[in-house]
Amino acid sequence: MNRDNLTKMTKLEVVVTGADAPAVHDLFRSCGATGFTSLSGVSGLGHHGYHQGRLLFNQQATLELLITVVPDDKADALLAGLTALFEETAGVMFLTDTYVSRADYFS
Amino acid sequence: MNRDNLTKMTKLEVVVTGADAPAVHDLFRSCGATGFTSLSGVSGLGHHGYHQGRLLFNQQATLELLITVVPDDKADALLAGLTALFEETAGVMFLTDTYVSRADYFS
Amino acid sequence: MNRDNLTKMTKLEVVVTGADAPAVHDLFRSCGATGFTSLSGVSGLGHHGYHQGRLLFNQQATLELLITVVPDDKADALLAGLTALFEETAGVMFLTDTYVSRADYFS
């Protein structure tokens, strides 16, 4: 397909407990993310449970999946902030290359 | 991993208000998407809110995350249709390269 | 952005009926996935419905979106297992390259 009108960005997906979600929202904002999408009704198991007898989340926890899309130049700060946050609290994150049509919405 | 049996496709993720979701469903269909997945329980903030004092969505809106996977040759039409739709209504979309095992399901 | 501290992995997204979700959980575990995220409140149409008059899911089915992230060397077994499962039951799956900061959580 024709990607001339698309801009490559970084999509960050973060899974945290509902209690920790506001800290992630604040981090998104302070790192210059212009918005995010939040999904409730999320449960999770692991990542650690099966192999090391230690659960990152237990199956009863109320979790949130938070998705934001940022230009590459903001992704480093966001990644550093999340890494620091996850030293104190449970959470997982994935980064994926994604393309958007209206880069100004995310910059 | 071995990707010989996988086919590269385009995954489109769209976030719109519940009121606008049927128009996106119709667009998916008219552009030849063979199916989609819809997630409710979605909230969103931005993309625009923090920086420009204008919210694309307000936090109370009921949103839907719609996911479809199409062959590359259908992605252009879908992208054009969504771009036109988003000139009239609030919404964000991301495109991501993805791989599927049964290409015929999506073609 | 700087990806020196990130590890490339494979993200698998699977959509199945709620009834089939436990079989997918078991498969994730037996293939060495260290965890997964599950989203309820999911509905789906297709992939097959529009073109071939046959629905993979009907719109009333209660579906789950299951997300797991695995190292590439585990992705092949997982893909083989899901392919076998989907010969007996309805479901779709997408594979996407993704990056994680703490590879040990997923290995």
Side-chain angles (χ1 to χ4, degrees):
Chain A
M1 64 173 296
N2 181 353
R3 292 199 168 160
D4 290 353
N5 296 317
L6 298 176
T7 304
K8 188 176 162 190
M9 299 227 166
T10 297
K11 179 168 69 164
L12 258 155
E13 291 166 287
V14 176
V15 182
V16 290
T17 65
D20 291 323
V24 179
H25 299 180
D26 289 346
L27 185 65
F28 284 175
R29 189 178 316 212
S30 69
C31 292
T34 59
F36 61 86
T37 301
S38 166
L39 287 92
S40 57
V42 176
S43 62
L45 188 65
H47 292 252
H48 261 180
Y50 305 140
H51 283 258
Q52 305 185 15
R54 178 161 80 85
L55 291 179
L56 182 57
F57 300 122
N58 70 55
Q59 216 151 6
Q60 280 67 47
T62 302
L63 304 179
E64 275 191 47
L65 171 60
L66 304 168
I67 306 169
T68 193
V69 171
V70 294
D72 276 6
D73 62 354
K74 291 178 178 170
D76 282 317
L78 203 40
L79 187 61
L82 287 167
T83 301
L85 182 70
F86 290 161
E87 283 167 14
E88 294 167 23
T89 186
V92 288
M93 62 175 159
F94 324 129
L95 280 84
T96 310
D97 290 328
T98 197
Y99 295 84
V100 303
S101 60
R102 297 179 300 183
D104 58 313
Y105 271 43
F106 302 90
S107 302
Chain B
M1 65 174 294
N2 181 353
R3 293 200 167 157
D4 288 353
N5 296 317
L6 298 176
T7 305
K8 189 176 162 189
M9 298 226 166
T10 297
K11 179 168 68 164
L12 258 155
E13 292 166 287
V14 177
V15 181
V16 290
T17 66
D20 292 323
V24 178
H25 300 180
D26 289 347
L27 184 66
F28 284 174
R29 190 177 315 210
S30 68
C31 292
T34 60
F36 61 85
T37 301
S38 165
L39 286 93
S40 57
V42 176
S43 62
L45 188 66
H47 292 251
H48 261 182
Y50 305 141
H51 283 258
Q52 306 185 15
R54 177 161 81 84
L55 291 179
L56 183 57
F57 301 121
N58 71 53
Q59 217 151 6
Q60 279 69 45
T62 303
L63 304 179
E64 275 191 47
L65 171 60
L66 305 166
I67 305 169
T68 193
V69 172
V70 294
D72 275 8
D73 62 353
K74 291 178 180 171
D76 282 318
L78 203 40
L79 187 62
L82 286 167
T83 300
L85 182 70
F86 290 161
E87 283 168 13
E88 294 167 22
T89 186
V92 287
M93 63 175 159
F94 324 129
L95 280 83
T96 310
D97 291 327
T98 198
Y99 295 83
V100 303
S101 59
R102 297 179 299 183
D104 58 313
Y105 272 43
F106 302 92
S107 302
Chain C
M1 66 173 295
N2 180 354
R3 292 197 169 162
D4 289 353
N5 297 317
L6 298 177
T7 304
K8 189 177 163 189
M9 299 229 165
T10 297
K11 179 168 68 165
L12 258 155
E13 292 166 287
V14 177
V15 181
V16 290
T17 66
D20 291 324
V24 178
H25 300 180
D26 289 348
L27 185 65
F28 283 175
R29 190 178 315 210
S30 68
C31 291
T34 60
F36 61 85
T37 301
S38 166
L39 287 93
S40 57
V42 177
S43 62
L45 188 65
H47 289 251
H48 260 180
Y50 306 140
H51 283 258
Q52 306 187 16
R54 177 162 80 84
L55 292 180
L56 182 56
F57 300 120
N58 69 54
Q59 215 150 7
Q60 279 69 47
T62 301
L63 304 179
E64 275 191 47
L65 171 61
L66 305 167
I67 305 169
T68 194
V69 171
V70 293
D72 276 7
D73 62 353
K74 290 179 179 170
D76 282 317
L78 203 40
L79 187 62
L82 287 167
T83 301
L85 182 70
F86 290 162
E87 282 166 14
E88 294 167 22
T89 186
V92 288
M93 62 175 159
F94 324 128
L95 280 84
T96 310
D97 290 327
T98 197
Y99 295 84
V100 304
S101 59
R102 297 179 299 180
D104 58 312
Y105 271 44
F106 303 90
S107 301

